[in-house]
Amino acid sequence: MNCSLCGMEEAFNRHHLIPRTVHSNKWFKKNFTREEMNATVPVCGGCHGMVTALDPKELGRNHNTVEKLLEHPTVASYVAWKRRKK
């Protein structure tokens, strides 16, 4: 299975679309179901490292789907660079 973000490498990691560090936050508990909070997508190590370096609250609130994640400027730039590299 290839990475959900770059599609270039085999995905050995799972990324929580709503980062686990914010699961105990009241706003997230109020606005998302348990299933939504536990949703993951397969990602490669490079993409996972880049995504986890971003602000978890911003990711959970504004970039909680693969499509929205790919719209994040840092993610879009990294994925474009990675695709050009290969």
Side-chain angles (χ1 to χ4, degrees):
M1 179 179 306
N2 283 353
C3 177
S4 295
L5 298 178
C6 71
M8 303 297 292
E9 295 181 30
E10 193 164 346
F12 293 107
N13 298 298
R14 305 281 312 169
H15 169 67
H16 279 83
L17 291 170
I18 299 173
R20 288 182 8 201
T21 57
V22 299
H23 284 195
S24 61
N25 183 295
K26 289 180 184 178
W27 187 89
F28 287 94
K29 285 182 177 182
K30 179 181 173 186
N31 289 287
F32 295 99
T33 66
R34 184 177 296 226
E35 291 77 25
E36 290 171 321
M37 297 246 272
N38 288 319
T40 62
V41 293
V43 291
C44 66
C47 287
H48 198 224
M50 180 267 313
V51 170
T52 57
L54 302 173
D55 177 47
K57 284 186 180 178
E58 179 190 356
L59 288 177
R61 288 184 176 156
N62 304 315
H63 303 284
N64 50 38
T65 66
V66 172
E67 294 78 19
K68 290 178 183 178
L69 197 53
L70 287 169
E71 292 173 358
H72 188 286
T74 303
V75 176
S77 176
Y78 178 80
V79 168
W81 169 81
K82 194 168 182 180
R83 288 179 179 163
R84 280 193 311 268
K85 184 178 139 186
K86 294 251 176 176

